[in-house]
Amino acid sequence: MIKKKQMLFGNMDGELVVAILENGKLVEIHFEHMERLTGNIYLGRIENIVPNLEAVFVNIGKGKNGFLRSKDIVLPNKKSSKDLQVGQKVLVQVKKDPIGSKGAQLTMNIGIPGRYLVYMPFAHGTIGVSKKILDLDERKRLHNIVDPLISKNEGVIVRTVSQGIEVEILASELEDLKTLWKEIEKKYKRSRKPKELYKEPDVLEYVIRERYDEKVTEIITNDVEIKNRLEVILKKFEARKNIVKLIEEDPIKLFNINQKLERALRRVVDLDCGGSIVIDSTEALTIIDVNSGSNISGNGFREMSLKTNLEASKEISRQLRLRNISGIVLIDFIDMSKEQDKKLVLETFKEELRKDKGKTAVIGFTKLGLLEMTRKRTSPPLKNSLFSKCPICDGRGFVISPKRLINRMVNDLSNLYHTEKPKKVILNLHRSLSGYMNGERRKFIRNKFKGVEFDYKFDWYDPNSYNINIKKK
C-alpha cells in the first residue's frame, strides 16, 4: 500500500530532474534531456515499401527512417496499404522511440493524449475505458459520458485518472483535444517536407499529466519559477490546490536521490530479508534471478523461499518501472513446490504491477518454473540516458582475463627478445593487473629472458592491452 507518494523537482548534474518516491523508495526518475519522440506527430514521406516485412519506411526528418507496420496503416475511404506509394506524404505518430539500430515505430492511428482522455480522430466510434478502472458502474458512467461527444469516425480512450471526474471537465478536455487536432491537420495540409507537427510537452507538464494522481501526497521543489509553473499546470488539470511545497535545499540532494539511484541500478540488488535479485538485460529479453543469499529466516526452506519471493516480486516491479525495462522479461524465482505459494507470489506481483503506468502482461509460470511477462516499450530504458557503451569491453561487460593477457605479453616479449636483443624493457600494464603480477610471475619472466632488466608500470589505460617499451642500451 502506498502511504506516501512524493514528486521531487530539482537539479542533478546541472539539469532538471523529476524523481518519484513511494513510501520513501525511488520508483521513477525523469530527466529534462531525455528526448522522447513517442507521442509526437509528423508529416512523413514514404521512402520504401517492403512487402515481405509488411511494412513501410517513412522519413520523418529525424535521422533513421521510421518503421510503419501494415496493421498501423489507417487510410480514408477503406483504402489498403497497397494503395501507398513511394514519395507519398503521410501523417504519422511515434508509437515507440528509436533504440539501438532500430528507427522509431510509427502509426497512422493518431492518438492525442490529455490528462483524462486520449482523442483518436480515426478510430471509427471506438470507446475504450482503462482496464485499471474495475468498478463496472463507473466504467459504464464514463462510457456514457463520452459516447455522445464523438462522431462515428472518432474514438476516445478514457484514462485511469478519469475515475470520479465530472462530465463538464471531461467534455471540456475533449473539446480542447479536438481543437488541437484541427491545428495539426491544418499544418499537415499546408506542408510538403517531413516535419514535426506536434510535440509532446516538456518534462514538467508531461510528468504531471502522466504521473500525478490522487495518491500523490506532496510535490516538492526549491525553485520559485518551477513552483509557479507547476501550480499553473495543476490548475489546468483541475488538480488539488496547495500541494506544491517550496523548500530551501534542492530536494534531489535532500532526499539523496543520487545515492538511491546508484544503489538501485546495480546488477545485484539486495533485499531487506537478506536475499537479492540479479538483473541482466540482453538485446532480446531481460532475465531476473532471485537468490536467497543470507536469508535464513522462517521454519524451513518453504517458508524462507516464499518470504524471499514475495519481497522480490515487489522489488522487481519497482525495478521494471525505475529502469524502464520493456519487452520480454523472464523471472527465476526460488523454487516453490506448492501451487498455493506460486499463486500467492503471482497475485502479489500482479498487484504491484498495477502501480505501473506502463502496459504489462503476466503470462504465467513455464514448465521450467520461470515466470514470463512483457512490458510495453514506448521510450528507451533508463540506462541509455545514464550510461554509454564501455569503449574497453565494447558493452560486453568483460575484459580479457589476466592469465590470457600476460601469456600474450610473454609471447610478444619472446619475439622481441630474439629480434631486438633488448637490455631493458619497460612494461606498461593496467592497474588491475598489479596484484596478478606478483613476485613469482615476475621471477618467471626474469628467468625466461635472462640478461634483461624489467620495469613494471601500472599506468596503462586499457585492461585489454599493454605497452612494451624496449631499451637496447
Side-chain angles (χ1 to χ4, degrees):
M1 181 183 292
I2 301 173
K3 296 179 181 178
K4 191 174 186 180
K5 185 174 179 180
Q6 299 159 299
M7 302 180 80
L8 314 179
F9 291 76
N11 186 287
M12 184 186 290
D13 302 327
E15 72 169 314
L16 175 63
V17 170
V18 185
I20 301 176
L21 304 179
E22 290 178 357
N23 299 334
K25 286 194 170 185
L26 181 65
V27 294
E28 286 187 50
I29 191 161
H30 300 264
F31 293 87
E32 187 179 29
H33 79 271
M34 291 168 68
E35 185 184 7
R36 288 175 52 92
L37 297 185
T38 300
N40 292 358
I41 298 173
Y42 295 88
L43 183 161
R45 287 277 176 189
I46 296 175
E47 292 284 318
N48 195 13
I49 299 173
V50 186
N52 289 345
L53 294 177
E54 295 186 345
V56 173
F57 288 91
V58 181
N59 176 9
I60 59 172
K62 282 283 182 181
K64 292 176 183 173
N65 290 337
F67 184 74
L68 177 63
R69 297 181 298 182
S70 293
K71 69 175 187 178
D72 291 317
I73 295 173
V74 179
L75 294 170
N77 304 321
K78 297 183 180 180
K79 290 183 179 180
S80 70
S81 57
K82 294 178 182 178
D83 296 307
L84 292 175
Q85 298 178 346
V86 173
Q88 180 179 337
K89 81 171 185 176
V90 286
L91 184 65
V92 292
Q93 185 172 33
V94 177
K95 279 180 70 175
K96 295 181 181 180
D97 274 13
I99 186 169
S101 59
K102 300 175 183 176
Q105 192 174 128
L106 309 173
T107 180
M108 293 176 73
N109 193 16
I110 307 297
I112 304 173
R115 173 155 172 78
Y116 304 109
L117 306 170
V118 178
Y119 171 64
M120 306 175 74
F122 306 128
H124 304 294
T126 300
I127 298 174
V129 179
S130 169
K131 292 179 180 178
K132 292 183 180 180
I133 299 176
L134 303 178
D135 187 289
L136 295 179
D137 289 336
E138 178 63 8
R139 293 178 66 85
K140 186 176 180 180
R141 182 187 79 90
L142 292 168
H143 185 282
N144 291 339
I145 287 173
V146 298
D147 188 23
L149 300 177
I150 59 172
S151 70
K152 62 179 182 179
N153 294 323
E154 300 170 315
V156 169
I157 294 174
V158 181
R159 311 186 74 180
T160 308
V161 289
S162 297
Q163 198 162 2
I165 299 299
E166 296 86 349
V167 178
E168 293 77 17
I169 294 175
L170 297 177
S172 175
E173 180 172 272
L174 183 57
E175 194 58 38
D176 290 343
L177 294 175
K178 287 184 178 184
T179 301
L180 176 57
W181 164 243
K182 288 176 183 176
E183 292 173 2
I184 294 169
E185 249 189 334
K186 285 179 183 177
K187 289 181 186 178
Y188 174 72
K189 290 175 181 177
R190 288 198 305 260
S191 305
R192 293 186 176 185
K193 295 181 179 179
K195 65 181 289 188
E196 184 179 88
L197 302 175
Y198 165 78
K199 184 179 178 63
E200 279 281 80
D202 64 12
V203 69
L204 286 180
E205 185 168 342
Y206 173 82
V207 170
I208 294 296
R209 188 189 77 192
E210 298 294 327
R211 298 298 185 261
Y212 176 83
D213 56 29
E214 75 283 351
K215 294 174 184 175
V216 174
T217 51
E218 56 183 351
I219 298 173
I220 305 172
T221 184
N222 68 324
D223 189 301
V224 176
E225 287 186 13
I226 290 177
K227 177 182 182 292
N228 294 338
R229 175 93 193 284
L230 287 171
E231 288 175 341
V232 170
I233 295 168
L234 288 165
K235 185 178 180 181
K236 172 185 173 183
F237 293 139
E238 305 284 343
R240 285 170 288 162
K241 297 178 180 178
N242 304 320
I243 196 171
V244 185
K245 184 178 177 182
L246 187 67
I247 62 174
E248 289 187 8
E249 190 175 356
D250 191 315
I252 299 300
K253 183 179 179 182
L254 180 65
F255 286 81
N256 299 314
I257 298 303
N258 257 319
Q259 292 85 337
K260 281 183 167 71
L261 188 61
E262 184 183 338
R263 284 198 303 271
L265 291 180
R266 291 172 183 166
R267 177 174 176 263
V268 179
V269 180
D270 294 326
L271 303 174
D272 293 338
C273 66
S276 64
I277 61 173
V278 183
I279 304 173
D280 287 307
S281 293
T282 69
E283 191 80 15
L285 48 79
T286 297
I287 304 166
I288 302 176
D289 186 36
V290 181
N291 297 314
S292 59
S294 60
N295 184 12
I296 55 173
S297 62
N299 298 317
F301 177 79
R302 179 188 171 188
E303 194 173 322
M304 178 277 296
S305 62
L306 180 59
K307 181 180 178 181
T308 306
N309 286 338
L310 287 172
E311 187 179 333
S313 66
K314 296 176 182 179
E315 182 60 30
I316 289 168
S317 172
R318 181 175 83 97
Q319 289 291 333
L320 293 175
R321 295 168 64 191
L322 178 58
R323 299 179 188 229
N324 197 20
I325 293 171
S326 58
I328 299 170
V329 180
L330 294 180
I331 305 169
D332 187 10
F333 285 106
I334 301 171
D335 289 343
M336 294 174 284
S337 56
K338 301 290 184 180
E339 284 301 317
Q340 64 196 72
D341 292 350
K342 287 184 179 180
K343 186 178 179 181
L344 180 58
V345 169
L346 196 58
E347 288 174 352
T348 302
F349 186 51
K350 287 181 176 179
E351 185 61 32
E352 290 296 315
L353 287 177
R354 286 182 60 81
K355 302 173 186 175
D356 193 347
K357 298 291 184 182
K359 187 177 180 181
T360 59
V362 178
I363 313 303
F365 285 98
T366 68
K367 290 181 179 180
L368 292 175
L370 302 174
L371 182 65
E372 290 181 298
M373 70 161 293
T374 61
R375 187 171 186 269
K376 186 178 179 181
R377 176 178 72 83
T378 55
S379 56
L382 179 62
K383 67 177 183 180
N384 287 22
S385 296
L386 299 178
F387 307 109
S388 58
K389 186 182 288 187
C390 173
I392 306 302
C393 70
D394 196 31
R396 295 190 305 272
F398 300 99
V399 294
I400 298 172
S401 69
K403 181 179 179 180
R404 184 179 168 206
L405 189 71
I406 297 305
N407 286 347
R408 184 183 294 176
M409 183 189 74
V410 169
N411 186 55
D412 287 346
L413 281 171
S414 185
N415 293 332
L416 290 170
Y417 182 69
H418 293 102
T419 58
E420 301 293 335
K421 310 293 182 185
K423 294 295 182 182
K424 183 178 180 179
V425 173
I426 300 172
L427 296 172
N428 301 99
L429 302 168
H430 190 263
R431 63 180 182 275
S432 62
L433 294 167
S434 60
Y436 185 80
M437 289 305 298
N438 55 24
E440 185 179 342
R441 289 190 175 89
R442 295 188 190 201
K443 182 179 178 182
F444 168 79
I445 291 175
R446 280 199 310 272
N447 290 339
K448 186 173 180 66
F449 305 108
K450 295 187 182 296
V452 180
E453 178 187 349
F454 286 94
D455 184 9
Y456 294 86
K457 295 184 181 296
F458 297 96
D459 57 1
W460 195 239
Y461 69 95
D462 182 4
N464 283 321
S465 67
Y466 45 81
N467 182 58
I468 301 174
N469 189 10
I470 62 173
K471 306 286 184 182
K472 293 185 178 181
K473 294 183 181 180

